[in-house]
């Protein structure tokens, strides 16, 4: 299901899902040296693209906005993923929030998104994979630089 992102490798193009998944895909695709992540700002429709590699976050002043707090993420995962988007700036986030009547969620810079996504799905494609328990997920969120009740962490 297209949710606003494409991820292109050397020979293959995938739907990226959300901002989180789009930045994480490289780490699941061991044969790819990097990937091109493309989307449009939901507020102003300006296109954006980044080469996402394993060694450092992509450059840019854009921000990721996650609408749904993690304790509610699995209530409607399509809604959750469909609202983890990349914006030109916090001004665009605020314009989108105002236009849609949503409450502002969590905003992070590209470097934080990259750190967060880089190891989240480790082992996901291995047989017998089990996702992190809530306490392990909270620890991972904190290590990636996330904070606050949105992620189930102290403010």
């Amino acid at each position: 299901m297209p949710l606003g992102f494409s991820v292109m490798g050397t020979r293959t193009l995938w739907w990226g899902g959300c901002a989180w998944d789009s930045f994480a895909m490289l780490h699941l695709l061991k044969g790819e040296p990097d990937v091109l992540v493309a989307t449009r700002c939901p507020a102003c429709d300006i296109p954006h693209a980044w080469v996402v590699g394993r060694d450092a976050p992509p450059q840019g002043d854009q921000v990721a906005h996650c609408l749904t707090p993690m304790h509610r993420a699995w209530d409607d995962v399509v809604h959750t993923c469909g609202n983890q988007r990349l914006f030109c700036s916090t001004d665009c986030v605020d314009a989108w929030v105002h236009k849609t009547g949503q409450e502002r969620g969590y905003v992070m810079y590209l470097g934080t998104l990259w750190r967060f996504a880089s190891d989240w799905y480790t082992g996901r494609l291995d047989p017998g994979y089990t996702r992190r328990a809530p306490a392990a997920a909270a620890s991972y969120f904190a290590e990636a630089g996330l904070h606050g009740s949105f992620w189930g962490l102290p403010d």
Side-chain angles (χ1 to χ4, degrees), residues 80-94:
T80 298
C81 289
N83 286 286
Q84 291 180 356
R85 302 295 304 273
L86 287 160
F87 291 78
C88 297
S89 64
T90 56
D91 289 343
C92 277
V93 171
D94 293 339

Side-chain angles (χ1 to χ4, degrees), residues 57-81:
Q59 297 297 306
D61 295 329
Q62 297 88 351
V63 296
H65 175 260
C66 299
L67 183 65
T68 306
M70 282 302 100
H71 73 277
R72 305 288 314 269
W74 291 102
D75 293 356
D76 182 346
V77 72
V78 173
H79 179 265
T80 298
C81 289

Side-chain angles (χ1 to χ4, degrees), residues 1-6 15-25 38-40 42 64-70 72-87 96 106 108 113 116 120-121 124 131 150-151:
M1 167 183 286
L3 294 172
F5 291 87
S6 61
W15 292 120
C18 60
W20 175 353
D21 287 354
S22 294
F23 272 51
M25 282 181 68
T39 191
R40 291 181 177 270
H65 175 260
C66 299
L67 183 65
T68 306
M70 282 302 100
R72 305 288 314 269
W74 291 102
D75 293 356
D76 182 346
V77 72
V78 173
H79 179 265
T80 298
C81 289
N83 286 286
Q84 291 180 356
R85 302 295 304 273
L86 287 160
F87 291 78
W96 179 84
Y106 190 88
M108 67 182 95
L113 175 63
F116 170 42
W120 178 252
Y121 291 118
R124 178 71 172 99
R131 65 180 185 198
F150 187 93
W151 300 99

